Amino acid sequence: MKKTLTMIAFVLNLSAMAQNDTIGVSKITAVYRYECKTMDADGKVVTDSMLIAVQTSDGITKSFPYDEYERQKAGGSRIADGYQAAQMHMGTVFMNYPEGRITTHEMLYPYRYQTDEALEKRDWKLTEAKDSICGFASLSATINYHGVTWNAYYTEDVPVGIGPWKLGGLPGLITRASDAKGVHTFTLCGLIKAELPIVFTEYVTWFVPDGQGKFISQRVDYQKRTASDFLSYKKKVLGNRRYVKAPTYYAPDPMTTFGYVETSSNSLGDRVRSVAGVVLISSPHQYQPLELK
């Protein structure tokens, strides 16, 4: 008889290994607060929030959840701390890696996905607005990127043309960016001046129960798709009205498919369920895509 496998966080910290490549060394890390206005399963307006870290080196930019940045520094792993990023559908974005491409890693039960797209030239239009954000004098610009109009501020005091998610290409560090409808907002919180490798994960080796009381290693590769194809898939799956009531409605039950479900606690003590490191969303909110095409 199949039983749910419950593991404490300490075991989970030791349960996965990743094949990582160091693709650069970042001397600064920009930290942003990402906020998304959405609704819960009852139609109540909520604002989801998380922190994002952005590294850069030799033309490569990595934008990824700040919790992962902290885990990398500590040399550990806590899958449950990835819940908020999974709920907000915020992946890890590599700009100009490989050269001239954008590679994105994202989890959507039951798989990890890797997408690829061309790194297009950013056609920003400079505007007259000015502001002071996170202590930096900031100029403004606007752009329509993949069907969404973004209004951004940037500072020439930090002369690196990077920003959160897939935004960048301005004459300085982006300090704030919001879409025209006010659904998505990225705001710079600060800069960390410390050298840290920029890591690209090729695959993960996960330890799973064999049904005989032991664990066996299992290589978990990314499902590779084009960015446009994966975006269409997310719109279809996450945009369905059933998602907020039954977030795994589109896939087989995890116990049926895998025969086990891991349960662990995040740093706040909240219980989170996952399978092979892919978080299961328990309280989904309505999907708000960052791009439309």
Side-chain angles (χ1 to χ4, degrees):
M1 180 175 63
K2 296 179 180 177
K3 297 182 179 180
T4 299
L5 179 69
T6 301
M7 300 181 180
I8 62 174
F10 177 74
V11 175
L12 282 179
N13 286 346
L14 302 178
S15 62
M17 296 184 297
Q19 175 59 47
N20 295 327
D21 289 336
T22 296
I23 58 176
V25 177
S26 181
K27 295 182 179 180
I28 65 168
T29 300
V31 182
Y32 295 85
R33 179 168 296 281
Y34 168 44
E35 295 180 315
C36 176
K37 295 180 180 178
T38 183
M39 289 186 287
D40 63 16
D42 298 320
K44 180 182 177 181
V45 176
V46 294
T47 299
D48 290 330
S49 177
M50 64 177 288
L51 294 179
I52 293 174
V54 180
Q55 299 176 301
T56 186
S57 175
D58 297 327
I60 296 172
T61 301
K62 179 182 180 181
S63 174
F64 62 121
Y66 182 77
D67 284 337
E68 183 182 336
Y69 171 82
E70 285 290 330
R71 292 197 299 272
Q72 183 181 329
K73 287 199 305 180
S77 174
R78 192 193 293 267
I79 295 303
D81 281 334
Y83 181 88
Q84 193 66 7
Q87 184 182 55
M88 297 180 71
H89 312 291
M90 177 53 65
T92 296
V93 180
F94 297 88
M95 303 281 283
N96 203 37
Y97 185 79
E99 186 175 359
R101 311 297 296 179
I102 300 175
T103 302
T104 301
H105 288 164
E106 189 172 333
M107 294 184 190
L108 179 59
Y109 174 78
Y111 302 119
R112 300 168 186 262
Y113 290 92
Q114 177 174 304
T115 67
D116 170 77
E117 63 189 290
L119 175 56
E120 303 169 353
K121 181 181 178 182
R122 299 294 190 267
D123 188 21
W124 290 95
K125 305 297 183 184
L126 302 185
T127 61
E128 298 297 323
K130 297 180 181 180
D131 204 344
S132 178
I133 301 168
C134 195
F136 293 102
S138 300
L139 304 174
S140 61
T142 185
I143 193 174
N144 186 283
Y145 180 70
H146 287 190
V148 176
T149 298
W150 290 90
N151 301 311
Y153 285 87
Y154 66 96
T155 178
E156 294 179 328
D157 294 340
V158 185
V160 290
I162 66 171
W165 183 58
K166 299 178 183 179
L167 302 175
L170 281 163
L173 177 72
I174 289 178
T175 54
R176 186 167 66 220
S178 299
D179 72 297
K181 294 183 178 180
V183 175
H184 305 281
T185 301
F186 299 93
T187 305
L188 181 70
C189 298
L191 292 176
I192 300 173
K193 296 183 179 180
E195 290 192 1
L196 193 71
I198 299 178
V199 173
F200 182 86
T201 302
E202 294 285 352
Y203 61 85
V204 172
T205 301
W206 203 258
F207 293 94
V208 299
D210 65 356
Q212 306 298 321
K214 298 181 180 180
F215 289 86
I216 58 174
S217 63
Q218 173 181 302
R219 172 168 167 164
V220 181
D221 289 294
Y222 290 94
Q223 299 285 318
K224 296 184 178 180
R225 305 178 75 159
T226 65
S228 59
D229 179 54
F230 187 53
L231 177 60
S232 296
Y233 177 66
K234 286 197 297 182
K235 286 180 181 179
K236 179 181 178 180
V237 169
L238 303 177
N240 189 294
R241 66 180 62 185
R242 288 179 290 174
Y243 173 72
V244 294
K245 298 291 186 180
T248 60
Y249 77 92
Y250 59 92
D253 178 80
M255 285 298 294
T256 301
T257 304
F258 298 96
Y260 74 102
V261 174
E262 301 157 344
T263 303
S264 60
S265 297
N266 63 15
S267 56
L268 299 177
D270 300 321
R271 304 296 284 174
V272 175
R273 300 167 71 235
S274 62
V275 174
V278 178
V279 171
L280 294 170
I281 304 301
S282 58
S283 301
H285 295 158
Q286 289 188 14
Y287 174 53
Q288 305 293 341
L290 280 160
E291 51 194 335
L292 300 179
K293 59 182 181 179

